[in-house]
Amino acid sequence: MREKPVAAGTALTRRSILMAAAASLAVPRASGTQDSWPPAFEAGRNQFTLVRPRAFMPQLRLQDLHGRDAIVAAKAGRITLVNFWATWCAACKLDLPMLASLAASRPDRLDVIAICTDAKDLRRIRTFLGGLAVQNLACYVDTYGAAAEASTEMFSIVGMPITYLVGTGGRVEGYIAGAPDWLSPAGARLLQFYREQG
C-alpha cells in the first residue's frame, strides 16, 4: 500500500515515525548512562548477567585442599570472582586453568575463589585438579554447606561452572556461566569497568 504525499506541517506518517525510532536506537547513549552499564562479555551461549538487587557477599566458611578451615570474604577495594565448579564438569577443566592464569596476572587487584560444590573428598578433588594448571588458584571445598546455603540466597547455580563477580564495594554485581576467556580484551574491559565503579 502506497502512502499519500503529505503536505508540510501535517501529521507524521507511520513510516516516518518508524524511521525516526530506528535512528534514535542507533544514537549512542549519553555518557552518564553509558558509564553505568557494564561492557558486554560472553562465553559461547552465555553472557555476563547483572544481579539485582545487589547484595553484599557473605563470609563463607569453607575448607582448603589441606582440610584446614577458612573464612572467605570479599576484600574492600578489590574485585572478587567466586567460581563454583564440580568434579564431573567437563567445562570446569577449561575454566579453572583460565581463572588460575587470571589470578596470576593480577594478584594485586583481584581475588579468585574457586569452590568445589559436588564433593567433600579431598583426595578426589586433588586428583581432579592434579592434571590442571591451577597452582595460582585458591580452591576450597564446601564442607559445611556455606556455599550451598549462599546459593539459595544470592549465588544461584544456573549452570556449571558459574562465576560471580563481586565489586570493590563487596556487592555481588553479576555472573557468567561456562568457561569465558577472562584474559580476552572483553574480559579485561569488564574487570576494568568494575574497578572504576568503586
Side-chain angles (χ1 to χ4, degrees), residues 40-42 98 102 106 180-191:
F41 183 49
E42 299 176 338
M98 171 61 66
L102 177 67
R106 299 162 194 246
D181 184 356
W182 288 99
L183 297 172
S184 68
R189 281 192 297 273
L190 182 72
L191 293 172

Side-chain angles (χ1 to χ4, degrees), residues 83-87 89-103 112-116 128-129 132-139 161 163 178-179:
N83 175 264
F84 296 95
W85 61 278
T87 57
C89 169
C92 296
K93 291 181 178 182
L94 301 172
D95 194 39
L96 292 169
M98 171 61 66
L99 289 169
S101 295
L102 177 67
V112 180
I113 301 164
I115 303 171
C116 180
F128 176 84
L129 295 172
L132 305 176
V134 294
Q135 292 76 21
N136 299 310
L137 191 59
C139 291
T163 303

Side-chain angles (χ1 to χ4, degrees), residues 29 37-43 46-49 176 181 184-191 193-194:
R29 291 181 258 184
W37 196 256
F41 183 49
E42 299 176 338
N46 301 307
Q47 65 181 13
F48 183 76
T49 303
I176 186 166
D181 184 356
S184 68
R189 281 192 297 273
L190 182 72
L191 293 172
F193 173 84
Y194 281 108

